[in-house]
Amino acid sequence: MTTQDAGPLSVALLGTTNERIDALHDELVVLGYQPILFTNAADFLIAFCMGQRFNLLLLTLHDPSQYKGLPEVCRKFRIPTLLVVEEEQWKLLAPQIREASWDDVMDFNVLQTRIQELEWRIQVLLKRQDAPGQLGWLEGEMTWEDYKFCPESISVEFRGRKIHLTQLEWTFALELFRNAGRVLSREWLLTRVWKSKPRLGTRTVDVCATKVRKKLDLRDENGFVLRGIYRQGYQLAYISGEARAAKIVR
């Protein structure tokens, strides 16, 4: 399993290259996101099928016929969607919105829309995605060996034992397991879990990591170890069955 640093949240930006797409791209960069531009839905779906993952899909209404089936794919794989329209396009949207069911729709005028509104819309969608009561992942995506995440009770089942966590601890632990093997920086975790801008010298992440490590008993024998990476952040390392058995033999 390859280890790599967690970068900024990835936003798929779908739309024909024009002044509006360029403005959205530049604003996403300013806000700290990583926008990846696709000029058609087919290219976006190909990238997704090849293993590329996105935290959000932001698209413009340039050719509604291209988007047939796209909302269903995004719902299945839990990719929040934000449809961007301009005033003259609302008449095109009316017959589409019932079929498409995008997560949110916003007006965007290159000269008038404030960057703060775009950030607010994105954050609302990301928070809605992470809310334990609204999770819709498949069973297989919520279980890692003996650890099963239960969103309804904000707990983790481990070998028949239910471990109750606070909502922040549960979300923090879920991000660790979803990104097992990767080094997650404190700044990334603060943004992703606490929805907070990183503050220099904060111990918030370290305190939460200590509690989660203890409550979930993250050690070699149980298949997962939570490691602090000096001056970077945290990594949840997977210990294979062979490695566990070899350690017992020694």
Side-chain angles (χ1 to χ4, degrees):
M1 192 177 296
T2 302
T3 299
Q4 62 184 39
D5 291 336
L9 301 187
S10 177
V11 177
L13 185 56
L14 176 55
T16 305
T17 302
N18 55 28
E19 184 183 18
R20 181 169 37 152
I21 287 292
D22 291 342
L24 285 167
H25 179 280
D26 292 345
E27 292 192 356
L28 288 168
V29 171
V30 170
L31 291 170
Y33 299 103
Q34 181 183 16
I36 301 171
L37 180 60
F38 297 94
T39 56
N40 58 70
D43 288 345
F44 165 75
L45 291 172
I46 290 172
F48 185 82
C49 292
M50 293 292 289
Q52 196 165 2
R53 291 296 176 262
F54 308 96
N55 300 101
L56 177 80
L57 170 63
L58 194 157
L59 66 161
T60 60
L61 191 70
H62 62 284
D63 184 1
S65 64
Q66 276 202 10
Y67 301 150
K68 187 175 182 180
L70 189 57
E72 288 74 17
V73 172
C74 291
R75 280 196 295 274
K76 180 177 180 180
F77 293 98
R78 297 196 69 253
I79 306 172
T81 56
L82 175 59
L83 178 64
V84 175
V85 299
E86 288 184 311
E87 183 176 355
E88 69 276 8
Q89 294 179 312
W90 280 102
K91 58 181 179 292
L92 300 175
L93 182 62
Q96 306 291 333
I97 191 66
R98 290 187 295 275
E99 175 187 352
S101 298
W102 307 106
D103 292 321
D104 195 7
V105 182
M106 73 171 288
D107 283 301
F108 184 86
N109 184 295
V110 173
L111 299 178
Q112 297 178 7
T113 304
R114 299 178 62 191
I115 191 171
Q116 290 86 350
E117 180 182 354
L118 178 62
E119 170 71 344
W120 180 81
R121 296 275 190 157
I122 291 175
Q123 286 300 316
V124 166
L125 288 177
L126 294 177
K127 287 180 180 179
R128 186 186 304 167
Q129 177 195 38
D130 285 338
Q134 298 178 24
L135 291 175
W137 288 310
L138 300 175
E139 182 70 17
E141 294 177 319
M142 297 293 288
T143 302
W144 290 264
E145 293 212 349
D146 292 328
Y147 290 92
K148 178 183 177 181
F149 282 73
C150 307
E152 298 82 6
S153 56
I154 314 180
S155 64
V156 176
E157 290 185 5
F158 177 69
R159 297 175 183 171
R161 179 168 60 97
K162 181 167 286 190
I163 305 168
H164 292 280
L165 305 172
T166 68
Q167 183 170 325
L168 282 174
E169 290 167 353
W170 192 91
T171 305
F172 178 84
L174 183 61
E175 289 296 342
L176 292 175
F177 277 86
R178 289 175 65 191
N179 294 280
R182 300 178 65 193
V183 177
L184 306 178
S185 70
R186 289 178 177 82
E187 291 76 15
W188 187 90
L189 286 164
L190 278 170
T191 301
R192 183 68 174 166
V193 178
W194 282 267
K195 309 302 180 188
S196 168
K197 293 186 180 298
R199 300 189 301 276
L200 188 63
T202 181
R203 296 283 298 172
T204 302
V205 176
D206 300 320
V207 170
C208 188
T210 299
K211 292 179 178 179
V212 168
R213 181 190 286 116
K214 182 177 180 180
K215 288 184 177 183
L216 298 186
D217 200 13
L218 299 172
R219 52 192 173 92
D220 290 21
E221 294 85 341
N222 293 331
F224 293 91
V225 177
L226 181 55
R227 297 169 177 165
I229 308 300
Y230 183 62
R231 290 187 176 178
Q232 295 184 54
Y234 288 90
Q235 177 197 45
L236 184 69
Y238 171 66
I239 311 300
S240 67
E242 293 81 2
R244 281 175 257 171
K247 186 171 182 179
I248 293 173
V249 170
R250 288 198 299 268

